[in-house]
Amino acid sequence: MVSFEEVQAAARQIAGVAHRTPVMTSRLLDAACGNQIFLKCENLQRVGAFKFRGATNAISRLSAAEKAAGVITHSSGNHAQAVALVSQLLGVKATIVMPNNAPALKLNATRDYGAAVVLYDPVTDVREAISQELAQRHGYVLIPPYNHPHIVAGQGTAGLELFEEVGSLDYLFVPCGGGGLLSGCALAAKHLAPGCRVIGVEPAAGDDATRSFYSGVLQTSHNPQTIADGARTGSLGDLTFAMIRHYVDEMLTVSDDDLVRTLAFVWTRLKLVVEPTGVLGLAALFNHRVALAGQRVGVILSGGNVDLVAAAGWLQTTRVSS
């Protein structure tokens, strides 16, 4: 598994390239959740998501020959943007395999960063197979969205920075899709605050990680229907599954209605632009899906690339009063 020293090395590798994002607090949020909340705002990271950390750590470590060959990845949007921008900064050709229902905001941004986009149908196609076939055909280097040591170590720097800034925490809530962010942050938490309980949160419609965690057997989800598009992953990877089983204390799920109620609060009361996947962890607290009171709680807000047109529809169809 990835070591804490690799997270520390990643922090040095990405320093000066990735932002050291702010930690924000709100007395109003504390009152709503009944705890003292510290928000690590990765929605303010470059490309609007934590994914820039892992992509920077992974691509910057490639050899000159690997960079010359070009890179490829598959992503619904945030990792796509991250790989595209890092590749642009390093002069590397990037090809991104994206679902044809990816949010237009993320699709357009990926293209604007200079990447070539290959669309696929998530109902009938398997994105990993498409990426592997293109990598073999063209000699591209595959940069996985989560199941890679350099990716996990890079994502763990978000947790590292949080603990460096606020000190020990009683709990840490982290969104979970493929598990890269959760794995890395849980690793950092257990080294910097051994008593901190780490809780991963994913959408109820795509609960493969939760089922995997409690069964001890890797489970899958096929094209889960949730507004948390960044968590529509088919399964954890073998690396992230092992690390989550080792370092995470609990897994929870939240509904799309939970996400919309949380988003409405974050947008209107905290004045933060966060996407549905980004508030998975906070939604568990805000909607009281776990019984906590009077604790120091860290929450990773993982991204801010929200589709504003879709957001208007969510607010109209969901009761948002808490």
Side-chain angles (χ1 to χ4, degrees):
M1 291 191 289
V2 177
S3 69
F4 180 63
E5 289 71 26
E6 289 176 274
V7 176
Q8 293 175 309
R12 295 189 294 270
Q13 185 78 11
I14 70 175
V17 183
H19 296 324
R20 189 179 179 95
T21 53
V23 177
M24 301 186 70
T25 59
S26 163
R27 287 178 293 177
L28 188 62
L29 178 63
D30 289 352
C33 297
N35 294 275
Q36 186 177 12
I37 310 297
F38 300 89
L39 302 174
K40 179 63 170 170
C41 295
E42 287 299 290
N43 55 308
L44 301 178
Q45 184 55 262
R46 295 183 76 168
V47 309
F50 74 95
K51 293 286 192 176
F52 188 79
R53 296 175 180 272
T56 301
N57 190 46
I59 298 173
S60 66
R61 292 180 183 275
L62 296 178
S63 67
E66 289 171 324
K67 290 176 182 175
V71 299
I72 189 169
T73 194
H74 42 267
S75 166
S76 65
N78 285 339
H79 181 65
Q81 293 174 82
V83 169
L85 178 54
V86 173
S87 297
Q88 182 186 72
L89 295 173
L90 296 176
V92 175
K93 177 183 177 181
T95 300
I96 317 293
V97 177
M98 299 184 71
N100 57 17
N101 63 350
L105 173 75
K106 298 180 180 182
L107 180 60
N108 293 336
T110 301
R111 287 173 168 152
D112 288 344
Y113 290 132
V117 173
V118 176
L119 296 177
Y120 73 96
D121 185 342
V123 177
T124 60
D125 300 326
V126 178
R127 64 182 191 170
E128 291 83 358
I130 297 172
S131 297
Q132 288 284 1
E133 193 276 329
L134 289 172
Q136 292 175 1
R137 186 195 309 173
H138 299 287
Y140 300 146
V141 178
L142 179 63
I143 305 295
Y146 50 86
N147 200 47
H148 188 284
H150 292 160
I151 296 292
V152 170
Q155 318 308 25
T157 62
L160 175 67
E161 291 176 7
L162 174 61
F163 284 96
E164 287 177 344
E165 182 160 342
V166 306
S168 184
L169 294 168
D170 299 308
Y171 287 83
L172 176 65
F173 284 73
V174 186
C176 181
L181 179 66
L182 178 56
S183 296
C185 289
L187 170 63
K190 294 304 182 181
H191 278 78
L192 297 173
C196 178
R197 286 185 61 82
V198 180
I199 299 179
V201 186
E202 63 181 346
D207 65 344
D208 56 279
T210 301
R211 288 184 283 114
S212 299
F213 180 80
Y214 289 111
S215 70
V217 178
L218 190 62
Q219 306 286 320
T220 62
S221 292
H222 179 66
N223 192 31
Q225 297 303 300
T226 171
I227 63 172
D229 63 279
R232 291 176 186 157
T233 48
S235 71
L236 300 173
D238 54 357
L239 172 62
T240 56
F241 180 40
M243 292 189 67
I244 287 170
R245 289 274 292 172
H246 187 75
Y247 291 110
V248 173
D249 296 287
E250 187 175 348
M251 291 292 303
L252 298 173
T253 65
V254 293
S255 69
D256 278 10
D257 284 352
D258 290 335
L259 292 175
V260 174
R261 283 189 290 268
T262 308
L263 287 168
F265 182 90
V266 169
W267 294 338
T268 62
R269 308 307 294 273
L270 304 186
K271 318 305 179 186
L272 291 173
V273 178
V274 188
E275 63 187 279
T277 309
V279 297
L280 279 167
L282 184 58
L285 288 163
F286 186 75
N287 294 279
H288 306 288
R289 299 306 178 213
V290 58
L292 294 183
Q295 304 296 304
R296 284 172 53 87
V297 183
V299 179
I300 307 292
L301 298 180
S302 61
N305 294 310
V306 61
D307 184 333
L308 295 179
V309 175
W314 304 333
L315 293 176
Q316 289 176 347
T317 58
T318 302
R319 185 167 176 250
V320 298
S321 59
S322 59

